[in-house]
Amino acid sequence: MRILLVNVNTSEAVTEALGSQARAVARPGTEIEALTPRFGPESVEGNFESHLSAVAVMDRVATYEHPYDAVVQAGFGEHGKEGLQELCSVPVVDITEAAAHVAVMIGDRYSVVTSLRRTVPQIEARLAQAGLDSRCASIRASGLGVLELEADRDAAVRTVAAQARAAVEEDGAETVVLGCGGMAGLDEAVREACGVPVVDGVAAAVALAESLVGLGLTTSKISTFAAPRPKTVTHWPLSTALGL
Amino acid sequence: MRILLVNVNTSEAVTEALGSQARAVARPGTEIEALTPRFGPESVEGNFESHLSAVAVMDRVATYEHPYDAVVQAGFGEHGKEGLQELCSVPVVDITEAAAHVAVMIGDRYSVVTSLRRTVPQIEARLAQAGLDSRCASIRASGLGVLELEADRDAAVRTVAAQARAAVEEDGAETVVLGCGGMAGLDEAVREACGVPVVDGVAAAVALAESLVGLGLTTSKISTFAAPRPKTVTHWPLSTALGL
Amino acid sequence: MRILLVNVNTSEAVTEALGSQARAVARPGTEIEALTPRFGPESVEGNFESHLSAVAVMDRVATYEHPYDAVVQAGFGEHGKEGLQELCSVPVVDITEAAAHVAVMIGDRYSVVTSLRRTVPQIEARLAQAGLDSRCASIRASGLGVLELEADRDAAVRTVAAQARAAVEEDGAETVVLGCGGMAGLDEAVREACGVPVVDGVAAAVALAESLVGLGLTTSKISTFAAPRPKTVTHWPLSTALGL
Amino acid sequence: MRILLVNVNTSEAVTEALGSQARAVARPGTEIEALTPRFGPESVEGNFESHLSAVAVMDRVATYEHPYDAVVQAGFGEHGKEGLQELCSVPVVDITEAAAHVAVMIGDRYSVVTSLRRTVPQIEARLAQAGLDSRCASIRASGLGVLELEADRDAAVRTVAAQARAAVEEDGAETVVLGCGGMAGLDEAVREACGVPVVDGVAAAVALAESLVGLGLTTSKISTFAAPRPKTVTHWPLSTALGL
Amino acid sequence: MRILLVNVNTSEAVTEALGSQARAVARPGTEIEALTPRFGPESVEGNFESHLSAVAVMDRVATYEHPYDAVVQAGFGEHGKEGLQELCSVPVVDITEAAAHVAVMIGDRYSVVTSLRRTVPQIEARLAQAGLDSRCASIRASGLGVLELEADRDAAVRTVAAQARAAVEEDGAETVVLGCGGMAGLDEAVREACGVPVVDGVAAAVALAESLVGLGLTTSKISTFAAPRPKTVTHWPLSTALGL
Amino acid sequence: MRILLVNVNTSEAVTEALGSQARAVARPGTEIEALTPRFGPESVEGNFESHLSAVAVMDRVATYEHPYDAVVQAGFGEHGKEGLQELCSVPVVDITEAAAHVAVMIGDRYSVVTSLRRTVPQIEARLAQAGLDSRCASIRASGLGVLELEADRDAAVRTVAAQARAAVEEDGAETVVLGCGGMAGLDEAVREACGVPVVDGVAAAVALAESLVGLGLTTSKISTFAAPRPKTVTHWPLSTALGL
């Protein structure tokens, strides 16, 4: 099967890293196509950027020309999954939700460690909308921005691991979720530091997308996620209108 | 004071109607500047369109060149208010939240009557995120799309009034909220039909924006709604990049 | 328009202070009539006193002889608003609810700083009943009683500001609500100390009452807030029976 | 032990009926002192009346001159219990809460059948504040006022039993709570009609008050229910000021 | 009346202690029959042991040969009460729920002090299923296992009292519940240490069982707790099959 | 990998059917070992039977002698998964939770169609404990017992499909979950009848177990699901004690 893995920011380096990580966990026979949005912010850390990236991700998927079996939206706590579900006929998996689904299957309560404090309410809102908040012990911010997390891996490990330990010791977390695409690949080091299972959203999302495809299930089209009604949408797709 | 009232769809006729309604309730001295997004769907009825319109609304506000004291986002149940709050230093009021705030001050439980069933979960999610869902008795769909509501006012009144009556009689609603920008101006007729106060979101939002400005309050910039961090955002503003 | 602003305790000095504060934010053309209950406690700090003041406030409004357009109940976290809504045909606004409505429009989560710890559950219950609790980060007690807050303004500012800062730093509050009528006028000083918007309930309630009147809305009379049924109520109004 | 059973309305006939019912279930050695408020409404059906009766009940208990071991507040869904808990050093049991406590011990979900629809939100609020709402399947109104329920017992049984059956068949109730003091004594007939256990609040409250006294437990005085602080409370007790 | 008090572990010494405590609070005329399961763990501290003890308790009651009027399940936070309710026609009271019912009648919020941290989620789940969690301020673990609590009473008092004080001072608890059968008899000492009422589950359960029997109420058999359907259940009762 | 799939009842025919269904969806290389408990009820329809089967399932797994990589508990809404998580070091997946996880990834709200009404509260409790209830639109009972569902497949399809259609049309379900192990294999027919995706718990659980194993994740052993403490557990394993 072929899975589209869509980065939410415009950094090709991040897209490549996400792709590598996804391929490392994908089953034999699963092809990962990692895509970068054609416009938008170089990192996503707040509502304005998240909304813009939601549209850039939808634009990227809408202009993808080959067949695919599932879509993974690879931004933690970002907007837009429901829009993708309207545009696609295949399953769409968000890394935030995927990580939480996996976390509650392997531990009592889980904590999320994310980048900046300003993104916490957005993650809370996504988990609540997905109905996955009741077993969330806490969402902790490392204080490092997305690009900082990527630039200095040692600092990233130290800072994220410190918050993970605090989540386990103070908040009662029994599983830790890495709450930022830029933390991909830190799971081993963080697990060693905090002593509980660590869930990476990209890996979780690829595995769940494979499961949904394997089960022959697709998004319900009866109401909420039905295809958009036929109507005039000016300058859409934006990348085409922009000549990109 | 000057209030920017931003339509969420690209219909100039709707923008004019929203502007007229807002001016009808604005206090002396309040100037309403009604704006139309420069790209996006002609009506907003689902997540894809709502996400696209969120960006189009932010784009329109970001490229507005004159001073203003508050922003009203005039789409019911749509995404994007939190992004606007990051971009603006003045208060931002969403008509969904405004209507619910007013409704719970004048009655025990309220119901929303909206356009299509597919939009109901989106409205639920917005009310829940705003923390205004616990006194919502029901969200009922009229089954008429946004453009249909605007095209045939008699049918609109009949259909919306029927749902409003059902909300009062079957769901225990004591106030009814008109849950679609396209229902602007129906409040009198619906109130007569269902016998309880009817709240129009645009009117409520203008009044609350005036109140916030009058109280000298602006959005808290300490964390969630701080201005976006400096970074590269390609092709932004989109309308400029599109040459519009 | 004329707004009745009803103090919940019997202190004329407090009534005057509340009236001054209300007039400072009222629009041109709004007349504030500040009223003192004719019996009851000199300050309200708990359930017994709150219930007694609820009746004293209803008694004061029921025996007011001139026309008015709205009522503001000026006690934070106190009982009785629902009873006033049955007695009046005009909008009734409670300062607790008004402050919370305003707070959630300008920030993500808010905290309340109140007088004594013993009043916290009562405020929690009012916010929950109003459906405004889900975005309340914390309710913190300053430890100063109502009369102490009024007697020593410097101590009041210091103590309230300390709790406000703690709410911002430890509880994640992005807006602070002054949770006691006796804190009226402290908003500027507290805002400077804690760096986030500070909402004063009396100011918020006057602004929202003006908005409701401006929108032509009144309390729904269909069920919960219908006028009391005709029946024998002995010794009512109490102040008349008492010869006051 | 001696239990004060305080009616919430001024009808001596109701007080006598409540007393008889309480004595019928009380253990040997328990003395029931049934009291009538000295002012207030002849029946309590809404917020204004409920607030007034809350004060009248507190006044009646505060002016009672003999020793007692517990207090039962005999009005369903009424205000004021928390105030009584401040005034008394002995346990205070509210019939609403008592009925719900008993109901959830003997069945999965319970429904309340009360008098008028207007009182439903008040009962909901009391159950929610007591933390006893999550297993409440529904609150149904019979449409009969308190005095009507007392005047025509046959009609009362028919109407209440019909709602009880509907609660069982349509709402999934497995226990029914009689939600009005005026329904005292209907439990046998309603149980026969609906086939599930029927809980009478007065009986439940007397039994629970006996249990609390037997366990040697009294209300926690550490914060919320501490005695009111010493201060001037004018015209209190009201019945003394009124010369009653 | 005769109450079966069923220990959840196989320790006869614990059964005797539970019986003594129950007899100390039982009314004249109440006979306590303390029973020990015929198989299972010597102490119950986790889900595996709790599920096994649930069956052992049901087995013990199912093979009891004399008449009885109520059953008390004397394990804190353990599984199985709902199964007992199916097997019995008399009231079944769980000490977890009984303690919480009593606690919320005599204070605003309560905390539970239990044995090991690993049991906390199980207690949370039971309180939530019983609908008694909303007023629970915290569940604190003493860190002492069940047998350690019983072996060294002085250490038990010190450790439990320390957690009780912390619950009052840090979590806002106004009542403390002893959350482990092995803490029976510590209530006086803990109350002295923390200054708020302390509720012992066994005492509370006996009192509530007496109340239910006194009220003539039994478990609703209409659906959830109807007797099991006739069917083949191999090797049941297990103790008979085991030749015990 | 090898997955233990444990039936909750003692019917070998059911075990075989479950095994066949699991093998039909398992990936190449996954071996399904279908196990039958050695004691307990022939079908599980209520709390007594569910508790007994929980122990029988734990007994069956504890006495299984070969290596395995994951366990699937194949009873809908049954007790015991948390106990298995303590006993095993590999992932344990419950079909109830698995079905709900999958359902919320492919639709807005889901409904469960189960066997008898008496099992509904138990399913509600499991979904709530798993934190998967907020997007559950309804749990509907078909009225057919487990053995009836298996005995007459045509009647089963008709009855289950009718409830599935009602869930879609009346409750707003966008996905339907088959809420009984005895409904295995009905998914195709029910999907055709109701027009929305239908999730079978056994298939979902096998797919999720494969995903967890593929991700290298195992249950967190830090607290709640740590192995039971060393202690005397008499007559355990029960099947060994019974000589089975």
Side-chain angles (χ1 to χ4, degrees):
Chain A
M1 74 182 77
R2 173 183 278 182
I3 296 177
L4 297 193
L5 176 82
V6 198
N7 184 8
V8 296
N9 65 43
T10 54
S11 159
E12 292 285 357
V14 170
T15 305
E16 272 178 43
L18 293 168
S20 300
Q21 189 190 9
R23 281 176 207 110
V25 301
R27 304 180 200 170
T30 297
E31 183 187 347
I32 303 293
E33 178 84 89
L35 301 176
T36 309
R38 296 198 172 99
F39 56 88
E42 63 182 330
S43 68
V44 181
E45 296 163 324
N47 282 285
F48 159 65
E49 292 162 10
S50 182
H51 278 108
L52 182 53
S53 87
V55 169
V57 165
M58 290 193 286
D59 175 272
R60 191 64 194 87
V61 171
T63 58
Y64 184 74
E65 292 180 343
H66 306 291
Y68 51 90
D69 299 292
V71 177
V72 167
Q73 175 173 327
F76 203 90
E78 308 310 347
H79 296 283
K81 192 204 70 162
E82 289 79 9
L84 279 175
Q85 287 180 296
E86 294 181 7
L87 295 183
C88 298
S89 54
V90 300
V92 177
V93 179
D94 172 57
I95 66 169
T96 327
E97 297 175 17
H101 283 298
V102 163
V104 298
M105 281 192 279
I106 60 170
D108 184 61
R109 305 178 84 197
Y110 69 96
S111 285
V112 176
V113 180
T114 187
S115 52
L116 303 177
R117 183 181 148 185
R118 69 178 297 161
T119 68
V120 171
Q122 207 176 310
I123 295 172
E124 285 176 342
R126 272 225 72 77
L127 292 174
Q129 187 171 347
L132 290 162
D133 52 331
S134 72
R135 291 208 6 225
C136 181
S138 60
I139 303 176
R140 284 175 167 266
S142 66
L144 295 180
V146 174
L147 301 179
E148 294 162 301
L149 283 165
E150 282 156 3
D152 183 344
R153 301 307 272 178
D154 285 350
V157 165
R158 272 197 312 278
T159 318
V160 172
Q163 291 298 326
R165 271 195 303 270
V168 171
E169 286 160 17
E170 296 169 30
D171 309 334
E174 304 195 1
T175 310
V176 166
V177 166
L178 297 181
C180 173
M183 294 178 190
L186 303 190
D187 46 350
E188 273 302 327
V190 177
R191 171 163 41 219
E192 273 172 34
C194 70
V196 303
V198 172
V199 180
D200 174 89
V202 172
V206 169
L208 295 183
E210 288 175 325
S211 290
L212 294 176
V213 173
L215 289 166
L217 291 167
T218 55
T219 302
S220 179
K221 289 286 169 181
I222 199 167
S223 177
T224 306
F225 302 124
R229 299 175 107 196
K231 67 179 64 168
T232 301
V233 182
T234 68
H235 304 283
W236 182 256
L238 283 159
S239 61
T240 307
L242 286 162
L244 302 175
Chain B
M1 74 182 77
R2 173 185 277 182
I3 295 177
L4 297 194
L5 176 81
V6 198
N7 183 9
V8 295
N9 64 45
T10 55
S11 159
E12 292 286 356
V14 169
T15 305
E16 272 178 44
L18 294 168
S20 300
Q21 189 191 9
R23 282 176 206 111
V25 300
R27 303 182 200 170
T30 297
E31 183 187 346
I32 302 292
E33 179 83 88
L35 300 176
T36 309
R38 294 199 174 100
F39 56 89
E42 63 183 329
S43 67
V44 181
E45 295 163 326
N47 282 285
F48 159 64
E49 292 162 9
S50 182
H51 278 110
L52 182 53
S53 86
V55 170
V57 164
M58 290 193 286
D59 176 272
R60 190 64 195 87
V61 171
T63 58
Y64 184 74
E65 294 180 344
H66 306 291
Y68 51 89
D69 300 290
V71 177
V72 168
Q73 174 172 327
F76 203 91
E78 308 311 348
H79 296 282
K81 191 203 70 161
E82 289 79 9
L84 279 175
Q85 286 180 296
E86 294 181 9
L87 295 182
C88 299
S89 55
V90 299
V92 177
V93 179
D94 171 57
I95 65 169
T96 327
E97 297 176 17
H101 283 298
V102 163
V104 297
M105 281 192 279
I106 60 170
D108 183 63
R109 304 179 84 196
Y110 69 95
S111 285
V112 175
V113 181
T114 187
S115 52
L116 302 177
R117 182 182 149 183
R118 70 178 296 160
T119 68
V120 170
Q122 207 176 309
I123 295 172
E124 284 176 342
R126 272 226 71 78
L127 291 173
Q129 187 171 347
L132 289 162
D133 52 331
S134 71
R135 293 211 1 230
C136 181
S138 60
I139 304 176
R140 284 175 167 264
S142 67
L144 295 179
V146 175
L147 301 179
E148 296 161 299
L149 282 164
E150 281 156 3
D152 182 345
R153 301 307 271 178
D154 285 352
V157 165
R158 270 197 313 277
T159 316
V160 172
Q163 291 298 326
R165 270 196 304 271
V168 171
E169 286 160 17
E170 296 169 29
D171 308 334
E174 304 195 2
T175 310
V176 166
V177 166
L178 297 181
C180 173
M183 294 177 189
L186 303 191
D187 47 350
E188 273 303 325
V190 176
R191 172 162 41 221
E192 273 173 34
C194 69
V196 303
V198 172
V199 179
D200 175 89
V202 173
V206 169
L208 293 183
E210 289 175 325
S211 289
L212 293 176
V213 174
L215 289 165
L217 291 167
T218 54
T219 302
S220 179
K221 289 286 168 181
I222 199 167
S223 178
T224 306
F225 303 124
R229 301 175 105 196
K231 67 179 67 167
T232 301
V233 182
T234 67
H235 304 284
W236 180 257
L238 283 160
S239 61
T240 308
L242 287 162
L244 302 175
Chain C
M1 74 182 78
R2 173 184 277 181
I3 295 176
L4 298 194
L5 177 81
V6 196
N7 183 8
V8 296
N9 64 45
T10 55
S11 158
E12 292 285 357
V14 170
T15 304
E16 274 178 42
L18 293 168
S20 301
Q21 189 190 10
R23 282 175 207 109
V25 300
R27 303 180 201 173
T30 297
E31 184 186 347
I32 302 292
E33 179 83 271
L35 301 176
T36 309
R38 293 198 174 99
F39 56 89
E42 63 182 329
S43 68
V44 180
E45 295 163 325
N47 282 286
F48 159 65
E49 293 161 10
S50 182
H51 278 109
L52 182 53
S53 86
V55 169
V57 165
M58 290 192 287
D59 175 273
R60 190 64 194 83
V61 171
T63 58
Y64 185 74
E65 293 180 344
H66 307 290
Y68 51 91
D69 300 290
V71 176
V72 168
Q73 174 172 329
F76 203 91
E78 307 311 349
H79 296 282
K81 192 202 70 159
E82 289 78 11
L84 278 175
Q85 287 180 296
E86 294 181 7
L87 295 182
C88 298
S89 55
V90 300
V92 177
V93 180
D94 171 56
I95 66 169
T96 327
E97 296 176 17
H101 282 299
V102 163
V104 296
M105 281 192 277
I106 60 169
D108 184 63
R109 305 178 84 197
Y110 69 95
S111 285
V112 175
V113 181
T114 188
S115 53
L116 303 177
R117 180 180 150 185
R118 70 179 296 161
T119 68
V120 171
Q122 208 175 311
I123 295 173
E124 284 176 342
R126 273 225 71 77
L127 291 174
Q129 187 171 347
L132 289 163
D133 52 332
S134 71
R135 291 211 2 229
C136 182
S138 60
I139 303 176
R140 285 176 167 266
S142 67
L144 295 180
V146 174
L147 300 179
E148 294 160 301
L149 282 165
E150 282 156 3
D152 182 343
R153 300 308 270 178
D154 285 351
V157 165
R158 269 197 314 277
T159 316
V160 172
Q163 291 298 325
R165 269 196 304 272
V168 171
E169 287 160 17
E170 296 168 30
D171 308 335
E174 303 194 4
T175 310
V176 167
V177 165
L178 298 181
C180 172
M183 294 178 189
L186 302 191
D187 46 352
E188 272 302 326
V190 177
R191 173 164 39 220
E192 273 173 35
C194 70
V196 302
V198 172
V199 179
D200 174 89
V202 173
V206 168
L208 294 183
E210 289 175 325
S211 289
L212 294 176
V213 174
L215 289 166
L217 292 167
T218 54
T219 302
S220 179
K221 288 286 169 182
I222 200 166
S223 177
T224 306
F225 303 123
R229 301 174 107 196
K231 67 179 64 168
T232 302
V233 182
T234 68
H235 304 284
W236 181 257
L238 283 158
S239 62
T240 307
L242 286 161
L244 303 176
Chain D
M1 74 182 78
R2 171 185 279 184
I3 295 176
L4 297 194
L5 176 82
V6 197
N7 184 9
V8 295
N9 66 44
T10 54
S11 159
E12 293 284 359
V14 170
T15 305
E16 273 180 41
L18 293 168
S20 301
Q21 190 191 8
R23 282 175 207 110
V25 300
R27 305 179 199 172
T30 297
E31 181 187 349
I32 302 292
E33 177 83 90
L35 301 175
T36 309
R38 293 197 174 100
F39 56 90
E42 63 181 329
S43 67
V44 180
E45 295 163 325
N47 283 286
F48 158 65
E49 292 162 11
S50 181
H51 278 110
L52 182 52
S53 86
V55 170
V57 164
M58 290 192 287
D59 176 271
R60 190 64 195 85
V61 172
T63 57
Y64 184 75
E65 294 180 342
H66 306 290
Y68 51 90
D69 300 291
V71 177
V72 168
Q73 175 173 327
F76 204 91
E78 308 311 349
H79 296 282
K81 191 203 69 161
E82 289 80 9
L84 278 175
Q85 286 181 296
E86 294 180 9
L87 296 183
C88 298
S89 56
V90 300
V92 177
V93 180
D94 171 57
I95 65 168
T96 327
E97 297 176 17
H101 282 299
V102 164
V104 297
M105 281 192 279
I106 59 169
D108 184 62
R109 306 178 83 197
Y110 69 95
S111 286
V112 175
V113 181
T114 187
S115 53
L116 302 177
R117 182 182 148 182
R118 71 178 296 161
T119 68
V120 171
Q122 207 177 308
I123 295 172
E124 284 176 343
R126 272 225 72 77
L127 291 173
Q129 186 171 349
L132 290 163
D133 51 331
S134 72
R135 294 216 355 232
C136 180
S138 60
I139 305 175
R140 285 175 167 266
S142 67
L144 295 180
V146 174
L147 301 180
E148 295 161 301
L149 282 164
E150 282 156 3
D152 182 345
R153 300 306 272 179
D154 286 351
V157 165
R158 270 196 315 275
T159 315
V160 171
Q163 291 299 326
R165 270 195 305 268
V168 171
E169 287 160 16
E170 296 169 29
D171 308 335
E174 304 194 2
T175 311
V176 166
V177 165
L178 298 181
C180 172
M183 294 178 189
L186 304 190
D187 47 350
E188 273 302 326
V190 176
R191 172 164 40 222
E192 272 173 35
C194 70
V196 303
V198 172
V199 179
D200 175 89
V202 172
V206 169
L208 295 183
E210 289 175 325
S211 289
L212 294 176
V213 174
L215 289 166
L217 291 167
T218 55
T219 302
S220 180
K221 288 286 170 181
I222 199 167
S223 179
T224 306
F225 303 123
R229 301 175 105 197
K231 66 179 66 168
T232 303
V233 181
T234 66
H235 303 284
W236 180 256
L238 282 158
S239 62
T240 308
L242 286 162
L244 302 174
Chain E
M1 74 182 77
R2 172 184 281 184
I3 295 178
L4 297 194
L5 176 81
V6 196
N7 183 9
V8 296
N9 64 45
T10 54
S11 159
E12 293 285 359
V14 171
T15 304
E16 273 180 41
L18 294 168
S20 301
Q21 189 190 10
R23 282 175 206 107
V25 300
R27 304 181 199 171
T30 297
E31 181 187 349
I32 303 291
E33 177 84 88
L35 300 176
T36 309
R38 294 196 173 102
F39 56 89
E42 64 182 328
S43 69
V44 181
E45 295 162 325
N47 282 285
F48 158 65
E49 292 161 10
S50 182
H51 279 109
L52 182 53
S53 85
V55 170
V57 165
M58 291 192 287
D59 176 273
R60 190 66 194 85
V61 171
T63 58
Y64 184 75
E65 294 181 343
H66 307 290
Y68 51 91
D69 299 289
V71 177
V72 168
Q73 175 173 327
F76 203 91
E78 308 312 347
H79 296 282
K81 191 202 70 162
E82 289 79 9
L84 279 175
Q85 287 180 296
E86 294 180 8
L87 295 183
C88 299
S89 56
V90 299
V92 177
V93 179
D94 171 56
I95 66 169
T96 327
E97 298 175 17
H101 282 300
V102 163
V104 297
M105 281 192 279
I106 60 170
D108 184 62
R109 305 178 84 197
Y110 69 95
S111 285
V112 175
V113 181
T114 187
S115 53
L116 302 177
R117 183 182 147 185
R118 70 178 296 161
T119 67
V120 171
Q122 207 176 311
I123 295 172
E124 285 176 342
R126 272 227 71 78
L127 291 173
Q129 186 170 348
L132 289 163
D133 53 331
S134 72
R135 291 204 12 221
C136 181
S138 60
I139 304 175
R140 285 175 167 265
S142 67
L144 295 179
V146 175
L147 301 179
E148 295 162 301
L149 283 165
E150 281 156 5
D152 183 344
R153 300 308 272 178
D154 285 351
V157 165
R158 270 197 314 277
T159 316
V160 172
Q163 292 297 326
R165 271 195 305 269
V168 171
E169 286 161 19
E170 297 169 30
D171 308 335
E174 304 193 3
T175 310
V176 166
V177 165
L178 297 181
C180 173
M183 294 177 189
L186 303 190
D187 48 350
E188 272 303 326
V190 177
R191 172 163 41 220
E192 272 173 36
C194 70
V196 303
V198 172
V199 179
D200 174 88
V202 172
V206 168
L208 295 184
E210 289 175 325
S211 289
L212 294 176
V213 174
L215 289 166
L217 291 167
T218 54
T219 302
S220 179
K221 288 285 170 182
I222 199 167
S223 177
T224 306
F225 303 123
R229 301 174 106 197
K231 67 179 64 167
T232 302
V233 182
T234 68
H235 304 283
W236 180 257
L238 282 158
S239 61
T240 308
L242 287 161
L244 303 175
Chain F
M1 75 182 77
R2 173 184 278 182
I3 295 177
L4 297 193
L5 176 81
V6 197
N7 183 8
V8 296
N9 65 45
T10 55
S11 159
E12 292 285 358
V14 170
T15 304
E16 273 178 42
L18 293 168
S20 300
Q21 189 190 11
R23 283 176 207 110
V25 300
R27 303 182 201 172
T30 297
E31 183 186 347
I32 302 293
E33 179 83 89
L35 301 175
T36 309
R38 293 197 175 100
F39 56 88
E42 63 182 327
S43 67
V44 181
E45 296 163 325
N47 282 286
F48 158 65
E49 292 162 10
S50 182
H51 278 110
L52 182 53
S53 85
V55 170
V57 165
M58 291 192 287
D59 175 272
R60 190 64 194 84
V61 171
T63 57
Y64 184 75
E65 294 180 344
H66 306 290
Y68 51 90
D69 299 290
V71 177
V72 168
Q73 174 172 329
F76 204 91
E78 307 311 349
H79 296 283
K81 191 203 70 160
E82 290 78 10
L84 278 176
Q85 287 180 296
E86 294 180 8
L87 295 183
C88 298
S89 55
V90 300
V92 177
V93 180
D94 171 55
I95 66 169
T96 327
E97 296 176 18
H101 283 298
V102 163
V104 297
M105 281 191 278
I106 59 170
D108 185 62
R109 305 179 83 196
Y110 68 96
S111 285
V112 175
V113 181
T114 187
S115 53
L116 303 176
R117 182 180 149 185
R118 70 180 295 162
T119 69
V120 171
Q122 207 177 311
I123 296 172
E124 285 176 342
R126 272 226 72 78
L127 292 174
Q129 186 170 348
L132 290 162
D133 52 331
S134 72
R135 293 212 0 230
C136 182
S138 60
I139 303 176
R140 285 175 167 265
S142 66
L144 295 180
V146 174
L147 300 179
E148 294 161 302
L149 283 164
E150 282 155 4
D152 182 345
R153 299 307 271 178
D154 285 351
V157 166
R158 270 197 314 278
T159 316
V160 172
Q163 290 299 326
R165 270 196 305 271
V168 171
E169 286 160 17
E170 295 169 29
D171 309 334
E174 304 194 3
T175 309
V176 165
V177 165
L178 297 181
C180 173
M183 294 178 190
L186 303 191
D187 46 352
E188 272 304 326
V190 176
R191 172 164 40 223
E192 272 173 36
C194 70
V196 303
V198 172
V199 179
D200 175 89
V202 172
V206 168
L208 294 182
E210 289 175 325
S211 290
L212 293 175
V213 174
L215 289 165
L217 292 167
T218 53
T219 302
S220 181
K221 289 284 169 181
I222 199 166
S223 178
T224 306
F225 302 123
R229 301 175 105 196
K231 68 179 63 166
T232 302
V233 182
T234 67
H235 303 286
W236 180 256
L238 284 159
S239 60
T240 308
L242 286 161
L244 302 176

